[in-house]
């Protein structure tokens, strides 16, 4: 069973359909008990970092995600659902994240923002998430991103006027700045790679 965390943000139904295509059983829920019983947790997110964090905290998200992380079971963050796993973001002011990844989110330096559309990625050796899709393009919609991973993480980068972190694999966390559920065949393969490691 995979739980998609419904805390009021994210493309819940499109994410649900994408994860269900792997053959996995998927629930969309904000219930802590159901989430903690699941084999894997998906954290979606769209919009501004601060608004997502506010919704997450109102749904007891800090406790739920921290407890799931401590269990060692796999977590998958998508877009702002990736960003909230970091310590902080400077989007529209200073905002604190969950701090599971000791790095920060900052604005891209590109003249045209947000980045909307397809972009290629560069994957480090050892990635389980990008097995057989390391040379693919994925769909991004964002103006902010992490610029670097941390010690012990497997990092995947993309470039939009500057290098930024397109995905990270760290301990039991996998997270993508892009939307795999909107990234066609490559995105579905990436999701399937994650599900196979549950």
């Amino acid at each position: 069973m995979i739980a998609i965390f419904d805390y009021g943000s994210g493309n819940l139904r499109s994410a649900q359909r994408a994860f269900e295509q792997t053959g996995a059983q998927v629930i969309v829920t904000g219930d802590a008990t159901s989430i903690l019983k699941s084999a894997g947790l998906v954290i979606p997110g769209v919009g501004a970092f601060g608004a997502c964090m506010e919704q997450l905290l109102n749904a007891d998200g800090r406790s739920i995600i921290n407890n799931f992380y401590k269990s060692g079971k796999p977590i998958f963050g998508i877009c702002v659902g990736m960003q909230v796993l970091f310590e902080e973001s400077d989007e529209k002011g200073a905002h604190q994240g969950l701090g599971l990844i000791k790095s920060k989110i900052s604005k891209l330096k590109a003249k045209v923002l947000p980045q909307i559309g397809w972009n290629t990625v560069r994957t480090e050796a050892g990635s389980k998430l990008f097995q057989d899709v390391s040379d693919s393009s994925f769909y991004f919609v964002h103006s902010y991103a992490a610029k670097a991973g941390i010690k012990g993480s497997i990092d995947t980068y993309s470039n939009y006027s500057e290098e930024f972190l397109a995905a990270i694999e760290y301990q039991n966390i996998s997270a993508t700045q892009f939307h795999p559920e909107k990234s066609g065949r490559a995105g579905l393969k990436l999701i399937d790679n994650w599900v196979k490691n549950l």
Side-chain angles (χ1 to χ4, degrees):
M1 173 81 76
I2 296 168
I4 297 178
F5 192 5
D6 181 3
Y7 62 94
S9 177
N11 300 309
L12 299 175
R13 300 308 165 195
S14 59
Q16 180 182 10
R17 288 192 295 270
F19 280 84
E20 285 176 339
Q21 287 191 47
T22 67
Q25 187 176 0
V26 181
I27 59 169
V28 177
T29 181
D31 178 68
T33 301
S34 299
I35 289 171
L36 293 172
K37 286 181 178 178
S38 298
L41 174 61
V42 178
I43 306 168
V46 295
F49 183 100
C52 279
M53 274 303 302
E54 183 177 1
Q55 290 173 296
L56 197 59
L57 296 177
N58 287 341
D60 197 28
R62 184 182 297 279
S63 174
I64 291 170
I65 294 170
N66 281 341
N67 286 336
F68 202 93
Y69 173 70
K70 290 174 183 176
S71 77
K73 292 187 290 187
I75 293 172
F76 194 137
I78 298 173
C79 196
V80 184
M82 169 185 174
Q83 294 181 8
V84 296
L85 299 172
F86 286 69
E87 286 186 297
E88 61 183 294
S89 172
D90 63 5
E91 183 176 0
K92 299 179 181 178
H95 301 281
Q96 296 300 307
L98 298 175
L100 298 180
I101 301 171
K102 305 301 182 184
S103 186
K104 66 178 184 177
I105 306 298
S106 58
K107 192 173 185 177
L108 294 172
K109 296 177 181 177
K111 292 181 179 179
V112 178
L113 291 172
Q115 175 187 199
I116 301 177
W118 298 82
N119 206 341
T120 56
V121 300
R122 187 185 78 253
T123 307
E124 289 184 347
S127 172
K128 294 180 179 179
L129 200 59
F130 286 86
Q131 187 174 353
D132 299 324
V133 288
S134 59
D135 58 349
S136 300
S137 295
F138 298 90
Y139 188 80
F140 292 83
V141 182
H142 67 121
S143 299
Y144 290 76
K147 306 297 174 65
I150 58 174
K151 184 178 180 180
S153 65
I154 297 174
D155 303 329
T156 294
Y157 287 92
S158 190
N159 190 295
Y160 188 68
S161 293
E162 64 176 317
E163 292 277 294
F164 68 89
L165 200 61
I168 187 168
E169 295 163 70
Y170 174 69
Q171 297 180 356
N172 55 323
I173 293 173
S174 298
T176 61
Q177 182 59 64
F178 55 83
H179 286 273
E181 78 281 9
K182 295 182 178 181
S183 295
R185 185 176 299 176
L188 292 177
K189 173 57 178 170
L190 183 141
I191 289 171
D192 189 60
N193 287 343
W194 181 77
V195 171
K196 285 178 178 175
N197 284 286
L198 293 179

